Amino acid sequence: MSLALVRSRALVGLNAPEVAVEVHLANGLPSFNLVGLADTEVREARDRVRAAIVTSQFEFPQRRITVNLAPADLPKEGGRFDLPIAIGILVASGQVDGARLAAHEFVGELSLNGMLRPVRGALAVALETGRAARQLVLPDGNAAEAALASAAQVLPAGNLLAVCAHLNGHSALARHIAPPRDAEVAPDADLADVKGQLQARRALEVAAAGQHSLLLFGPPGTGKSMLAKRLPGLLPRMDEAEAIESAAIQSIEGSFDASRWAQRPYRAPHHSTSAPALVGGGAVPRPGEISLAHHGVLFLDELPEFDRRVLEALREPLETGTVTVSRARRRAEFPARFQLVAAMNPCPCGHAGSARCRCTPDQIARYRGKLSGPLLDRMDLVIEVPLLDHAEMLAQPAGEPSAAVRERVERARTAQRDRQGEPNSRLAAGRIDTLCAPDNEGRALLSHAMARLNLSARGYHRVLKVARTIADLAGAERVGAPHLAEAIQYRRGLDAR
């Protein structure tokens, strides 16, 4: 047989489109031609595959070899096609039986001695292979990750010889089954460790209950970063779909850790981060920090120190929950349904309002002016985190643990899911007036606040959504004046200083 067809998968964003690896052997001068819009890494497979076949004690055919990666207009990158190319050459040359090829898909990078190395995006590939009802052969290092796709039949292999023995019927590869999940792991950071800061703790609970964005401001060393790190421990447990989606993004980026399965991601990029690193980009589109924080928390410390163009790039994903990365020949869409928590100092030196501050009003205005009005308008809660007095610092922590707060958060999220099917922060404008309508007393208070605070339409809607979350935490059916009063206080934020 001089022609073989082996099925594999490419990576385009979160998708893993099918690629047909066609191998043809013809008479003529020995050559190895690889076509089908392959990048440099894929073209280098020629040398890796040749060495792997020879060191695995097979004969490399001295013929004219043509490998086509179809469809031809789909870009291919990485070493994931090494294994299917090698299998195609061995089947086409008659050294491996091709009768079972149609029931399998193959991905994996080959080392020069025939061993299989892990590849990125194994979970995304396994999800698509499961839908296609085929068995997936891939490196041992990807087995735990790929097996999370319950519909996929994952057959891990350590080397090229093991794959060939499986296809020839000599020694079948064993299916890898994901082990039962352990009991839930306690959060790395507990809210009980925080001393004082009752208002900030309450704001953290409200933010978790409604998936609201939060801005913490205050002097250095008051616990802003400490509070933000404890937010993931307050969020509800991830369901199966959320866990799979979050793991698939990490798999594409190459940072998936099976031991942290179903744990809310927490990303805290440095303020020198570029726009492509934050929102995604590159010649081959990769997910950025906002997508890696999908279904979790994105914490931006020292918010005014970020480049303004970087911060402005956050505005659209905050509203839509997705980010589209477009390049000249490639386009990818990544989910970005993250919860934004940011922290900043009140002035450049961080000590505004105290005798230690030497900043002029102009310096403070310039510092705060680095944050645009539209970005601040997208912050649902703005909370001051003041310095603790000596008594609070010396006292033992006396606040509630994260587990107790999370129980209330989960009850509030359940109420939101039963009522509207999504967290309050995601409510569309057309549903806010119906689901978040205040009573008469609350309406009068809101009218007065709108006049005093000069709220925009977005600000008005965000006050209503936060008030609805506060009412859910209290178990109230209707939004009342006390709920709105608390929500308005969270909206005043920096304007109150």
Side-chain angles (χ1 to χ4, degrees):
M1 181 180 184
S2 60
L3 180 66
L5 172 63
V6 185
R7 300 188 185 279
S8 186
R9 297 272 170 183
L11 271 183
V12 180
L14 276 185
N15 301 317
E18 183 177 316
V19 173
V21 180
E22 301 170 332
V23 180
H24 180 256
L25 304 185
N27 295 326
L29 292 174
S31 64
F32 194 154
N33 300 308
L34 201 157
V35 297
L37 204 57
D39 71 358
T40 303
E41 291 173 306
V42 180
R43 290 195 297 270
E44 288 174 348
R46 292 176 294 192
D47 298 317
R48 292 194 297 268
V49 167
R50 180 185 287 107
I53 288 177
V54 172
T55 56
S56 298
Q57 306 305 310
F58 291 103
E59 179 185 352
F60 189 82
Q62 297 301 310
R63 302 175 65 184
R64 184 180 180 85
I65 303 172
T66 303
V67 178
N68 178 41
L69 305 178
D73 60 347
L74 177 69
K76 291 90 178 176
E77 51 93 17
R80 64 183 53 252
F81 300 107
D82 289 7
L83 178 59
I85 291 172
I87 294 297
I89 292 174
L90 293 174
V91 170
S93 61
Q95 300 178 76
V96 170
D97 186 3
R100 305 174 66 186
L101 281 182
H104 295 76
E105 293 186 7
F106 302 82
V107 293
E109 179 182 333
L110 285 169
S111 63
L112 299 185
N113 62 358
M115 300 300 291
L116 287 173
R117 290 188 173 129
V119 295
R120 293 186 303 105
L123 180 54
V125 171
L127 290 169
E128 295 292 345
T129 304
R131 297 187 186 105
R134 299 191 188 102
Q135 295 178 310
L136 176 62
V137 179
L138 80 177
D140 282 333
N142 291 125
E145 173 186 338
L148 296 175
S150 56
Q153 297 185 52
V154 177
L155 305 179
N159 52 55
L160 178 60
L161 272 175
V163 178
C164 295
H166 172 78
L167 292 175
N168 285 329
H170 300 322
S171 178
L173 295 173
R175 180 181 178 183
H176 185 91
I177 305 295
R181 297 179 193 167
D182 298 331
E184 186 179 9
V185 180
D188 297 333
D190 198 285
L191 197 59
D193 301 331
V194 179
K195 296 182 180 182
Q197 306 297 3
L198 297 182
Q199 186 182 25
R201 291 167 61 102
R202 169 63 176 176
L204 214 61
E205 179 178 345
V206 172
Q211 206 177 76
H212 299 292
S213 54
L214 171 65
L215 174 60
L216 304 167
F217 73 96
T222 56
K224 301 185 293 295
S225 300
M226 186 178 186
L227 286 162
K229 193 173 183 179
R230 279 145 181 80
L231 180 57
L234 307 184
L235 299 178
R237 298 168 181 85
M238 298 178 79
D239 59 30
E240 183 81 12
E242 289 178 334
I244 286 288
E245 200 169 34
S246 176
I249 297 172
Q250 296 172 43
S251 171
I252 289 171
E253 197 265 343
S255 61
F256 177 75
D257 181 1
S259 66
R260 299 191 65 83
W261 163 254
Q263 292 188 34
R264 299 276 180 183
Y266 175 82
R267 308 291 298 190
H270 190 261
H271 59 75
S272 62
T273 299
S274 65
L278 190 67
V279 302
V284 177
R286 297 279 185 89
E289 292 290 339
I290 63 174
S291 294
L292 294 170
H294 185 54
H295 294 313
V297 175
L298 176 70
F299 177 51
L300 302 182
D301 199 6
E302 304 294 344
L303 187 65
E305 301 301 332
F306 281 80
D307 187 274
R308 182 160 182 152
R309 291 172 296 179
V310 173
L311 296 179
E312 295 305 302
L314 288 174
R315 287 161 51 180
E316 184 179 351
L318 278 172
E319 296 291 337
T320 64
T322 60
V323 59
T324 301
V325 180
S326 297
R327 294 296 180 262
R329 299 175 62 182
R330 304 191 184 190
R331 178 181 178 277
E333 184 175 286
F334 300 104
R337 188 69 69 182
F338 59 95
Q339 188 162 354
L340 177 62
V341 181
M344 62 177 288
N345 296 326
C347 68
C349 76
H351 300 287
S354 72
R356 298 173 60 185
C357 182
R358 294 294 183 268
C359 300
T360 65
D362 285 344
Q363 289 175 324
I364 295 176
R366 275 197 304 273
Y367 179 75
R368 297 185 181 181
K370 294 179 180 179
L371 306 179
S372 69
L375 179 64
L376 287 175
D377 213 26
R378 286 170 168 80
M379 292 293 181
D380 294 335
L381 299 92
V382 181
I383 292 297
E384 181 181 6
V385 185
L387 286 169
L388 298 178
D389 59 34
H390 294 164
E392 288 177 309
M393 287 292 295
L394 293 173
Q396 292 296 319
E400 288 182 295
S402 294
V405 177
R406 187 167 71 170
E407 288 183 7
R408 296 196 294 270
V409 168
E410 289 183 332
R411 285 196 296 270
R413 286 283 188 101
T414 300
Q416 294 165 35
R417 185 173 60 249
D418 295 342
R419 181 176 60 240
Q420 69 231 11
E422 59 186 354
N424 289 332
S425 65
R426 299 187 197 172
L427 282 174
R431 306 180 68 190
I432 294 174
D433 291 332
T434 302
L435 298 175
C436 305
D439 56 21
N440 292 334
E441 187 180 353
R443 190 181 301 275
L445 176 62
L446 183 58
S447 176
H448 180 69
M450 289 177 66
R452 289 287 302 273
L453 299 179
N454 195 27
L455 291 177
S456 65
R458 182 185 288 114
Y460 161 74
H461 284 154
R462 289 182 182 270
V463 167
L464 283 178
K465 289 190 284 189
V466 172
R468 178 68 266 179
T469 298
I470 295 169
D472 290 337
L473 284 169
E477 292 291 331
R478 191 79 183 270
V479 175
H483 312 132
L484 277 165
E486 183 177 353
I488 291 167
Q489 285 300 314
Y490 294 141
R491 194 70 196 171
R492 292 180 64 191
L494 290 172
D495 295 333
R497 292 189 61 84

